[in-house]
Amino acid sequence: MTDVVALGEVMLRFDPGEGRIRSSRAFQVWEGGGEYNVVRGLRRCFGLRTAVVTALVDNAVGRLVEDLVLQGGVDTSLIRWTPDDGIGRTARNGLNFVERGYGIRGALGVSDRAHTAVSQLRTGDVDWDAVFSAGVRWFHTGGVFAGLSDTTVGVADEAMAAARRHGVTVSYDPNYRPSLWTGRGGPDRAREVDLRLARHADVVVGALGLAGPRPGAVRVPAGEVPDALTEVAELVPSARVLATTLREVPSAGVNDWSSAAWSAETGVVAGPLMPGLHVLDRIGSGDGFAAGLIHGLLSGDDRWPAPLTAAGLERALAYGTAHGALTMTTPGDVSMASLAEVHALMEGGSAAVRR
């Protein structure tokens, strides 16, 4: 039985390490994707049984992605395989070139993901009733998948509606990517899609992405986060939990890191503060936060879907904040943290050598 299923694209990430994309002669290759990263973290760090619904072209590149997903312990049985036409004329696998940034130079991502197999998914392609009738507890998707094409919005809508019919908890992360919406309605269209899909969600991660008139239009100061989350709650009345990371970026290598959440039962709850966090690679930290939050909600004495308490929501935020922080200490999109490391950080552990 699978605990958590995600719907999203899984790409190959090409990482030039300390160098620049435009001058690199060698890349480390990882797998990654906004929705996939969540179930990968839930499997490898927190031990939940997870699967990903995606599509790949059946060639050597697609099989490399599959091999990396298998190494992460995520079930690949729900991958849809698209025939290879030889040169990717009709469908291809996505690539993502990402440099980490350093000091005053921020991280940079260059996506090569148009016309991918997963972007061509359409409603009816996946038997969602079969997926969710097998005891799945949680379903996660987000704005990255929804933004891939005009058809993926409908697929996400169909999947979230089916999950709710089967009593499966649904989470959604707006995760706005400007490059996905260029020439396709921009931030206004992205906001329309986010609100359409987030209204299916029990939990919205990255909830401040719904604040303001359109994605990226406002930066919410720390003191205004409670009011902003309360306003978002009015936009998505079905959501039980709205959660968000909070980040200040003095430099690419040093971030102030925290979190907050809202629920109707508890009001706004603050997560732990981690000022001056040293960052090796920030990509995927929000997904690491989502994985920790989901684990925290699904575990403990007051585990989901029991009524939320402030202590239970604080605990879930602590898991998310610690796991997201540890994700930033290693290269690549996906978490390399252990549950013992997460617990140690939650308990105020240090970075002293362990022998």
Side-chain angles (χ1 to χ4, degrees):
M1 185 178 72
T2 301
D3 295 307
V4 184
V5 172
L7 167 65
E9 183 167 38
V10 188
M11 299 185 292
L12 289 178
R13 172 179 169 180
F14 286 73
D15 178 358
E18 297 177 352
R20 305 298 305 272
I21 295 167
R22 64 191 185 197
S23 57
S24 183
R25 299 297 179 268
F27 294 88
Q28 179 78 39
V29 178
W30 318 92
E31 88 280 22
E35 297 83 9
Y36 163 78
N37 295 340
V38 176
V39 289
R40 207 272 194 188
L42 283 166
R43 177 67 188 93
R44 294 301 279 173
C45 181
F46 298 106
L48 276 70
R49 296 158 296 189
T50 65
V52 62
V53 178
T54 193
L56 295 168
V57 173
D58 193 358
N59 57 22
V61 176
R63 292 298 174 177
L64 171 57
V65 177
E66 179 195 35
D67 188 63
L68 291 166
V69 173
L70 287 168
Q71 289 180 51
V74 177
D75 184 355
T76 61
S77 64
L78 298 178
I79 293 176
R80 291 176 56 86
W81 290 97
T82 299
D84 181 23
D85 65 18
I87 61 170
R89 181 181 291 108
T90 56
R92 53 190 293 274
N93 298 304
L95 307 178
N96 192 23
F97 295 80
V98 182
E99 57 187 54
R100 304 171 196 170
Y102 183 81
I104 59 171
R105 176 172 58 85
L108 173 67
V110 180
S111 296
D112 182 16
R113 65 196 305 181
H115 313 297
T116 56
V118 70
S119 73
Q120 298 176 44
L121 283 179
R122 296 177 179 274
T123 55
D125 283 348
V126 179
D127 186 346
W128 293 109
D129 288 323
V131 171
F132 295 128
S133 63
V136 174
R137 302 165 67 191
W138 198 290
F139 174 68
H140 179 74
T141 192
V144 174
F145 173 77
L148 292 177
S149 71
D150 293 336
T151 64
T152 52
V153 178
V155 176
D157 197 324
E158 175 187 53
M160 296 169 83
R164 291 186 70 89
R165 284 199 309 273
H166 286 269
V168 176
T169 299
V170 175
S171 58
Y172 181 79
D173 186 341
N175 233 353
Y176 174 61
R177 299 287 187 270
S179 58
L180 293 178
W181 295 98
T182 300
R184 298 181 50 240
D188 291 325
R189 174 59 177 155
R191 170 52 47 85
E192 177 186 332
V193 167
D194 279 337
L195 291 178
R196 170 184 169 184
L197 297 179
R199 286 170 180 152
H200 288 298
D202 301 285
V203 177
V204 178
V205 186
L208 288 184
L210 298 178
R214 63 186 62 85
V218 297
R219 182 181 177 279
V220 181
E224 297 177 13
V225 168
D227 289 341
L229 288 175
T230 302
E231 290 174 8
V232 171
E234 296 176 359
L235 299 175
V236 285
S238 296
R240 284 186 62 192
V241 174
L242 306 175
T244 186
T245 59
L246 301 173
R247 186 197 306 265
E248 296 290 336
V249 187
S251 79
V254 179
N255 290 186
D256 297 333
W257 174 251
S258 186
S259 61
W262 169 97
S263 78
E265 294 103 318
T266 66
V268 176
V269 173
L273 297 172
M274 296 186 181
L277 184 69
H278 287 263
V279 175
L280 177 64
D281 185 346
R282 66 171 280 177
I283 306 300
S285 54
D287 305 323
F289 169 78
L293 179 84
I294 292 169
H295 167 75
L297 291 172
L298 287 174
S299 61
D301 295 334
D302 52 355
R303 68 188 62 183
W304 188 276
L308 288 164
T309 65
L313 192 51
E314 286 175 1
R315 179 174 176 271
L317 283 174
Y319 269 112
T321 307
H323 188 238
L326 287 166
T327 300
M328 288 187 273
T329 68
T330 52
D333 288 27
V334 299
S335 164
M336 299 182 188
S338 70
L339 185 55
E341 290 169 334
V342 171
H343 283 153
L345 186 56
M346 290 169 64
E347 294 163 5
S350 75
V353 175
R354 295 189 297 277
R355 302 179 191 270

